[in-house]
Amino acid sequence: FGLGSAPPLSGSVRQMVVPPSRPSVMDAKREEAITKKDEERKAKAEELKVDKAAKAAVRTKELDAREVHKLREAEKADAIKVLAEKREENIAKKEAERKAKADAIKDRKGGTKKAKYSRQDVTLLKAVYDEYDADGSGSVSIAELQKALNTSPLADSSEAMLSELDRNGDGSVEFPELLKLLYPYANSKDFEVMLSWVAPPPPPPP
């Protein structure tokens, strides 16, 4: 070897110091494909996220719409119920007015007026009458009845009343005739009620 020159390198040494080669075209394409797929994956994930958010918003809107619909239906049902109650009240009111009017017409046609005496008066009159109808014949002489009534609360009107009764001059009177004189405006139904007040109790069953 000459002075100033390096000794020759062996084969193994030459192999170790060989500079690295540049990336091949295939490696570059592979890296490019990996980067593209990663970008596509990210884009797809973002798209799914946006789609999911949009669907959630639609569901929330639908739920809100259903709640609004339920609320409106409930309000409508309440309004219908109130109208139905008012209609029933109006019908009941009109029915009561119609019945009152019909009763008034019926009273006018039947000539119904307030009784001159109360139930207590009818009962008292029957008690006085029965005192002199000892045989239960249902007929009492005018003179005896006049004497009895003179000592009762009905004395003030008894004289004119009994003289009116004895039109046929037979000197006797039956209790229904007495009632007809006392209640000139009463109809047949009124007399039935008054007679029921003083009717004897039914006989006990055998």
Side-chain angles (χ1 to χ4, degrees), residues 9-20:
L9 299 175
S10 63
S12 60
V13 175
R14 284 198 302 271
Q15 187 177 2
M16 290 177 63
V17 297
V18 173

Side-chain angles (χ1 to χ4, degrees), residues 3-45:
L3 293 174
S5 62
L9 299 175
S10 63
S12 60
V13 175
R14 284 198 302 271
Q15 187 177 2
M16 290 177 63
V17 297
V18 173
S21 62
R22 293 181 179 180
S24 64
V25 175
M26 292 297 295
D27 292 336
K29 287 184 177 181
R30 185 169 57 252
E31 290 294 333
E32 183 180 354
I34 292 172
T35 302
K36 184 177 180 181
K37 285 184 180 181
D38 188 54
E39 291 176 353
E40 289 177 353
R41 182 186 61 77
K42 290 181 179 180
K44 189 173 182 179

Side-chain angles (χ1 to χ4, degrees), residues 72-91:
R72 289 178 179 174
E73 288 296 323
E75 291 175 350
K76 185 187 294 185
D78 290 341
I80 293 173
K81 183 179 179 181
V82 170
L83 290 175
E85 290 176 351
K86 288 183 177 180
R87 184 167 59 250
E88 291 296 329
E89 290 178 0
N90 291 333
I91 291 174

Side-chain angles (χ1 to χ4, degrees), residues 124-176:
L124 176 62
L125 182 61
K126 185 64 167 64
V128 173
Y129 185 91
D130 288 344
E131 287 182 5
Y132 291 88
D133 186 21
D135 59 355
S137 64
S139 179
V140 177
S141 68
I142 295 293
E144 290 178 341
L145 189 58
Q146 177 68 60
K147 183 179 179 181
L149 290 174
N150 284 338
T151 60
S152 74
L154 303 174
D156 293 339
S157 60
S158 62
E159 184 176 355
M161 176 179 65
L162 293 176
S163 62
E164 181 69 20
L165 275 177
D166 193 20
R167 290 181 177 179
N168 57 7
D170 64 354
S172 64
V173 60
E174 295 179 355
F175 188 71

Side-chain angles (χ1 to χ4, degrees), residues 1-2 13 21 46 51 68 74 99 104 124 139 177-178 181 183:
F1 300 102
V13 175
S21 62
E46 186 65 25
D51 185 63
V68 171
K99 188 176 184 300
L124 176 62
S139 179
E177 294 175 336
L178 191 60
L181 181 64
Y183 301 93

Side-chain angles (χ1 to χ4, degrees), residues 184-197:
Y185 298 109
N187 54 35
S188 59
K189 187 174 181 180
D190 295 328
F191 287 121
E192 288 179 7
V193 173
M194 285 186 281
L195 290 173
S196 69
W197 292 343

